[in-house]
Amino acid sequence: MTKFYSKVRRPTGLWLLPLWSQNGAGVRVNLVAFTTDLKNDEDDKDVSHMIHIIDTEHPWDVYSINSGHSEVISCLEWDQSGSRLLSADGDGQIRCWSMSDHLVNSWKSVLSSSLDGDPIVALSWLHNGVKLALHVEMSGSTNFGEKFSRVKFSPSLTLFGGKPMEGWMAVTVSGLVTVSLLKPGGALLTASESLCRLRGRVALADIAFTGGGNIVVAATDGSSSSPVQFYKVVVSVVSEKCRIDTELLPSLFLRCTTDPLRRDKYPSVTHLKFLTRENSEQVLLCASNQSGSIVECWSLRKEGLPVNNIFQHRSPVVGEKQPTILKWRILTTTNDLERVSAVALPKLPISISNTDLKVASDTKFCPGLGLALAFHDGSIQILHRLSLHTMGVFYGSSSAQRPGDESTMKRQRTGGPALHFKALQFSWTSLALAGVDNHGKLHMLRVSPSMGQVLDMNTTLRHLLFLLEYCMVTGYDWWDVLLHVQPTMVHNLVEKLHEEYMRQNQALQQVLATRIVAVKASLCKLSTATAARACDFHAKLLLMAISSTLKSLLRPHVLNTPDKSPGDRLSEICAKNTDTDIDKVMINLKTEEFVLDGPPLQSLQQLIQWVGDFVLYLLSNLPNQGSMVRPGFGFMRDGASLGLLREMLVMIRIWGLLKPGCLPTFTATSDNQDSLQLLFRLLTRLWLCSREDGSVQDPDESLVDECCLLPSQLLVPSLDWLPVNDGVMVKLQGKQPIRLQFGKASSLPASGASGGGGLEVFTRTPSCQKMDNLRCVHMGVCPTEDSKACTRCGCVTMLRSPNKTNAMKQWEQRWIKNCLCGGLWRRIPPAPPT
């Protein structure tokens, strides 16, 4: 269990939603958004309704927005892309917030709609038609497509060509439904309609979507003796105007109101939620009194309609079927519980077929099967989503206070407000819970994949591997999965993940090529034994990006060329030609395809310099290959990466003939030393030992001897291998809770790779040069430029581009929204002068 604390008061809600990156990496990152009301002690009328946004890796770095709402914020909702956030209040105001400059700690209000004086009770973005299913039964399959399948699902509203139309929908306390559509030009198209002819008070409501593109709204007036009403809502655009059609669906009465023993025991409905936003046929209801609650789970089923005896004796018509109706049936109900203060529903789209449920039960795979209930006594229970039997319990009162903190215990004994959660949310793999309590503190709790049941190591690894594969394929962030990875598991997880990746078809491997490297880098940071491999994976991400960028500059000399691009022909020729002389390999290429103007080549010199320095570093460290601790070891037998480096040296050689200023600069002991020729010869010999089409061999002694002489021939530069990551993940490997404070960075020692582990590559002295990890340039000891850092790996780059050439701007535009690893950016202030 891990806790994050903040100094805020009167929390009114919390939402934990993902972000979807817009680049090819396609990674979603967990952000937490919650609201508070801060009252002025001198004048209680002066209320500032705030929205706070943090990323889970840096929970102390909170970005607070003065929302401008005049009433208490009742709803927050992220859009499917994660780049926008909706907020709604008790006065009917809805605001749309957008991320500024793709920074998670910079937001601005861009659009708004209003239903003056009509409080919003439910809010949702329209569905984009994307639905996935996770099949536990197929967890042993080698095909990712069988484990995680795309479910046929229609968007709520489509544009021409089937593209989903963006927009949001809200339900008000007076029974009004309002829809706002975002037109392609940026205009807002808004319409409102009553849910039914007889409008009534709506105290609670929830919104779900059907596979046919319809919307279902559940609503109640808050009284357990009143029916829970359901409505079908259809949104369309007719003659450039938004149209809303509503239809009444079957309703239900709570079971507790029909039970003679509980008829008047629970007078109010306090929670109403569909079990998932894509399943409108299962709903969870909670009825409460001042001291207790009861929870019921209902399901919508199709039942046969009984026929009067008069019509049963007539001869049946061929093909005639018995008439059916839809009717709500209760699945299960709980016993009397403590008063429920918050409900969290699972987000993992686990299939609930009988076979999948049986396999999950047999293997004790629990993520996605449990829903969480928080109680006023501070405890949390996780119940099975269908049977509602208890799967796990967390007692928060004892762990919410410091050991030996007598003042806290005295306050609770004297009748002070007990600590309990006001809002609760699961993470996207259901392995973490985020909650805000009534004392204004933010908590993060681990949730065991087996709900605390003892598993053997192989089963535990298989469960974590299954969830890592799900995150890698779907793009969800694996931050909460890493919470459960112990340092001793890292090596096995990395190896097994690679084995599963290699079993996929070639097309899928290309799609996941960068994402799997980012997952491996995150895993390797958790253990000092694999810290060097984390360096290698980050370097590989940069290597792959530079290679694709440099190859994209090549253009065919004539238009009627074969299907293969110049980059593909370069790769094919370099793979076939095993000559160690770079000039002989260059002769086989069409040099006219490499002709570029001078300015693009000169502007890319720092990337070319990094390639040259990287090759020199690898070769000079070849004699130390027996040491797994040294960064670069993972490249020694990686034939594909060595082949990429070899191709780029050939390109650089050709470009050097056209523009000598773009060549990498080496400090050599001899004036007539051909550095590129030397490095290519040694690199080719190393590559021949690890080619994919042959057996891997150890480098011969003569190659090792020549590499031993390299430092005496060329000055080996020191490379900034790994960005410094000051996040909390590497500090959460212990079992003890940690306490943090908003606005104050964590000073806790790290237990993983970033803690040092004896590796000089991780140490940073205050007087060292700061590195722009994307542009591969030094920013000085005390940079004056505003910078941004990756929320996942800590990669730092300048916020504003110092380059004017188009080639370098194109390189920087690749990372304007996301880092190399797929993480999002956050603004960091310039370093204070020493």
Side-chain angles (χ1 to χ4, degrees):
M1 179 193 64
T2 304
K3 296 182 179 179
F4 301 148
Y5 289 89
S6 66
K7 290 186 176 180
V8 294
R9 294 185 297 162
R10 293 188 62 198
T12 58
L14 168 128
W15 287 259
L16 175 67
L17 271 277
L19 283 182
W20 172 260
S21 69
Q22 305 297 318
N23 72 342
V27 177
R28 306 178 185 188
V29 179
N30 279 324
L31 288 190
V32 176
F34 59 100
T35 66
T36 56
D37 304 330
L38 298 182
K39 282 193 175 183
N40 191 318
D41 294 334
E42 298 179 357
D43 184 5
D44 285 349
K45 295 182 180 180
D46 184 11
V47 180
S48 178
H49 303 284
M50 307 293 292
I51 299 175
H52 310 281
I53 299 176
I54 65 169
D55 72 275
T56 51
E57 184 69 350
H58 304 84
W60 55 84
D61 186 13
V62 62
Y63 183 74
S64 299
I65 310 170
N66 191 335
S67 66
H69 286 286
S70 58
E71 296 291 338
V72 173
I73 298 174
S74 56
C75 301
L76 287 180
E77 188 76 17
W78 299 94
D79 74 337
Q80 288 83 5
S81 70
S83 59
R84 286 172 296 198
L85 177 69
L86 288 177
S87 62
D89 64 14
D91 192 38
Q93 306 292 324
I94 302 175
R95 290 179 177 269
C96 177
W97 302 87
S98 179
M99 195 184 296
S100 300
D101 300 323
H102 312 287
L103 300 171
V104 297
N105 53 359
S106 180
W107 295 78
K108 62 182 179 181
S109 178
V110 291
L111 293 168
S112 64
S113 61
S114 175
L115 289 171
D116 292 338
D118 205 351
I120 306 295
V121 295
L123 182 67
S124 176
W125 289 86
L126 300 182
H127 204 282
N128 63 352
V130 177
K131 182 183 178 183
L132 299 169
L134 180 144
H135 303 280
V136 183
E137 177 193 4
M138 306 303 296
S139 59
S141 173
T142 58
N143 187 350
F144 286 166
E146 295 177 352
K147 297 180 184 181
F148 324 110
S149 63
R150 177 80 175 262
V151 180
K152 187 177 180 180
F153 210 85
S154 298
S156 302
L157 189 62
T158 56
L159 296 167
F160 179 77
K163 181 181 178 181
M165 190 171 189
E166 294 181 313
W168 61 78
M169 172 183 171
V171 180
T172 71
V173 74
S174 68
L176 201 65
V177 57
T178 177
V179 175
S180 298
L181 304 177
L182 298 175
K183 298 177 68 175
L188 202 61
L189 198 61
T190 302
S192 301
E193 186 65 51
S194 177
L195 280 172
C196 60
R197 292 183 178 179
L198 298 177
R199 289 172 62 183
R201 178 177 181 268
V202 176
L204 296 173
D206 199 17
I207 301 170
F209 302 90
T210 67
N214 297 325
I215 305 169
V216 177
V217 175
T220 176
D221 62 3
S223 173
S224 59
S225 60
S226 301
V228 179
Q229 301 281 3
F230 295 85
Y231 308 90
K232 182 175 76 171
V233 179
V234 180
V235 181
S236 58
V237 176
V238 180
S239 302
E240 296 295 322
K241 293 183 179 180
C242 180
R243 177 177 174 179
I244 303 174
D245 296 306
T246 61
E247 177 184 339
L248 187 64
L249 297 177
S251 59
L252 64 88
F253 282 91
L254 270 71
R255 170 64 63 88
C256 63
T257 61
T258 61
D259 185 350
L261 299 177
R262 295 191 177 103
R263 179 170 298 172
D264 300 320
K265 188 174 182 180
Y266 301 106
S268 60
V269 180
T270 54
H271 296 87
L272 164 63
K273 290 181 179 292
F274 289 105
L275 282 183
T276 63
R277 66 192 297 265
E278 286 98 3
N279 186 358
S280 61
E281 298 177 356
Q282 287 185 338
V283 68
L284 190 78
L285 294 162
C286 176
S288 306
N289 56 26
Q290 291 297 323
S291 60
S293 299
I294 189 169
V295 176
E296 299 178 359
C297 186
W298 290 74
S299 177
L300 185 65
R301 297 178 179 176
K302 186 177 291 186
E303 297 183 356
L305 187 66
V307 181
N308 192 282
N309 294 333
I310 298 176
F311 302 100
Q312 290 184 356
H313 300 290
R314 68 183 181 88
S315 57
V317 179
V318 177
E320 183 181 8
K321 296 181 180 179
Q322 181 183 10
T324 60
I325 60 171
L326 291 174
K327 194 170 184 179
W328 286 98
R329 291 290 184 182
I330 189 167
L331 284 178
T332 184
T333 182
T334 64
N335 296 322
D336 295 337
L337 304 169
E338 286 286 335
R339 181 173 172 84
V340 174
S341 61
V343 177
L345 297 177
K347 300 178 183 296
L348 193 70
I350 185 171
S351 172
I352 55 174
S353 65
N354 293 332
T355 308
D356 283 299
L357 290 175
K358 184 179 185 306
V359 173
S361 176
D362 294 342
T363 60
K364 300 178 181 178
F365 181 82
C366 299
L369 291 178
L371 58 92
L373 300 180
F375 300 96
H376 275 263
D377 63 358
S379 65
I380 298 175
Q381 288 189 25
I382 297 182
L383 309 181
H384 195 281
R385 59 185 291 182
L386 298 180
S387 64
L388 294 185
H389 71 260
T390 303
M391 302 174 68
V393 181
F394 163 68
Y395 298 101
S397 58
S398 60
S399 57
Q401 61 192 35
R402 298 179 185 272
D405 189 350
E406 297 181 0
S407 61
T408 303
M409 291 187 284
K410 288 179 180 179
R411 284 196 301 270
Q412 293 184 355
R413 290 197 189 106
T414 56
L419 186 147
H420 63 270
F421 289 94
K422 299 281 289 183
L424 204 63
Q425 282 285 328
F426 270 110
S427 64
W428 283 95
T429 60
S430 301
L431 294 185
L433 269 173
V436 171
D437 66 25
N438 57 323
H439 291 177
K441 298 175 182 177
L442 176 65
H443 304 248
M444 186 71 71
L445 310 176
R446 286 190 182 99
V447 180
S448 168
S450 62
M451 292 298 168
Q453 303 176 82
V454 179
L455 300 178
D456 60 89
M457 182 58 71
N458 288 333
T459 305
T460 301
L461 289 175
R462 189 163 64 247
H463 289 174
L464 293 176
L465 178 66
F466 188 40
L467 292 173
L468 284 173
E469 291 170 350
Y470 167 75
C471 293
M472 187 173 67
V473 171
T474 60
Y476 286 111
D477 187 33
W478 50 91
W479 184 89
D480 49 345
V481 182
L482 298 181
L483 288 173
H484 303 271
V485 177
Q486 297 301 316
T488 54
M489 304 178 183
V490 171
H491 178 75
N492 289 333
L493 276 177
V494 171
E495 295 302 318
K496 292 181 180 295
L497 189 64
H498 182 74
E499 291 175 5
E500 294 297 322
Y501 168 79
M502 295 304 296
R503 291 173 180 170
Q504 309 309 309
N505 59 62
Q506 194 66 30
L508 185 57
Q509 286 187 25
Q510 291 181 2
V511 172
L512 303 178
T514 56
R515 203 175 297 169
I516 188 175
V517 178
V519 176
K520 290 178 180 179
S522 300
L523 286 170
C524 289
K525 286 183 180 180
L526 303 180
S527 171
T528 54
T530 55
R533 299 188 67 184
C535 299
D536 295 346
F537 289 130
H538 276 276
K540 188 172 182 178
L541 285 172
L542 184 56
L543 171 62
M544 295 166 64
I546 293 177
S547 174
S548 61
T549 299
L550 295 185
K551 286 182 179 179
S552 67
L553 298 175
L554 306 180
R555 294 290 183 268
H557 184 59
V558 292
L559 294 179
N560 55 345
T561 55
D563 295 336
K564 293 182 180 180
S565 65
D568 293 334
R569 284 198 294 274
L570 171 66
S571 301
E572 183 179 357
I573 291 174
C574 289
K576 291 180 179 179
N577 194 325
T578 60
D579 204 305
T580 58
D581 190 336
I582 190 172
D583 294 325
K584 292 183 179 179
V585 177
M586 186 177 63
I587 291 175
N588 297 318
L589 295 170
K590 298 180 180 179
T591 54
E592 60 270 14
E593 294 178 342
F594 293 79
V595 175
L596 299 175
D597 295 331
L601 288 177
Q602 190 64 43
S603 63
L604 295 172
Q605 199 276 333
Q606 64 256 36
L607 302 183
I608 295 173
Q609 182 69 46
W610 184 89
V611 173
D613 291 344
F614 187 73
V615 173
L616 177 56
Y617 179 91
L618 289 182
L619 294 174
S620 63
N621 280 278
L622 180 60
N624 300 319
Q625 63 166 330
S627 174
M628 283 288 290
V629 179
R630 303 228 17 126
F633 176 85
F635 283 88
M636 299 304 178
R637 295 172 182 264
D638 187 354
S641 297
L642 295 176
L644 279 181
L645 289 169
R646 193 166 172 266
E647 294 169 16
M648 283 190 281
L649 288 185
V650 173
M651 278 195 294
I652 293 170
R653 183 71 164 190
I654 298 176
W655 286 338
L657 300 176
L658 304 173
K659 184 72 174 179
C662 74
L663 287 172
T665 303
F666 300 102
T667 304
T669 57
S670 174
D671 293 336
N672 57 357
Q673 174 69 58
D674 191 344
S675 302
L676 271 184
Q677 180 71 265
L678 173 63
L679 294 178
F680 184 85
R681 179 168 57 82
L682 297 178
L683 179 63
T684 301
R685 293 177 61 185
L686 179 60
W687 169 69
L688 290 173
C689 298
S690 57
R691 294 180 67 186
E692 295 180 351
D693 55 352
S695 59
V696 178
Q697 303 173 356
D698 292 329
D700 55 69
E701 292 186 4
S702 61
L703 175 59
V704 175
D705 291 341
E706 288 195 61
C707 290
C708 285
L709 296 175
L710 261 182
S712 63
Q713 297 171 297
L714 298 172
L715 179 63
V716 181
S718 60
L719 292 180
D720 193 354
W721 283 80
L722 188 67
V724 179
N725 187 3
D726 59 347
V728 298
M729 178 51 65
V730 294
K731 304 169 185 178
L732 300 181
Q733 302 307 308
K735 296 296 183 181
Q736 295 300 319
I738 65 173
R739 294 171 180 264
L740 303 171
Q741 182 178 342
F742 281 173
K744 184 177 180 181
S746 170
S747 59
L748 297 171
S751 57
S754 295
L759 294 179
E760 68 276 5
V761 73
F762 294 109
T763 59
R764 299 288 188 274
T765 61
S767 60
C768 70
Q769 288 271 345
K770 304 301 187 296
M771 188 76 178
D772 187 319
N773 301 111
L774 283 185
R775 297 181 176 89
C776 301
V777 296
H778 291 284
M779 298 189 295
V781 177
C782 296
T784 57
E785 289 289 329
D786 288 338
S787 302
K788 57 185 179 181
C790 175
T791 57
R792 175 180 293 151
C793 69
C795 174
V796 176
T797 184
M798 287 179 283
L799 194 59
R800 290 178 291 273
S801 172
N803 302 288
K804 303 299 182 183
T805 59
N806 291 331
M808 199 59 195
K809 285 183 179 179
Q810 290 174 6
W811 165 261
E812 293 167 352
Q813 284 296 317
R814 290 168 62 99
W815 322 113
I816 193 69
K817 296 180 179 179
N818 296 89
C819 175
L820 284 163
C821 69
L824 293 176
W825 298 111
R826 63 186 184 97
R827 183 193 297 268
I828 55 176
T834 55

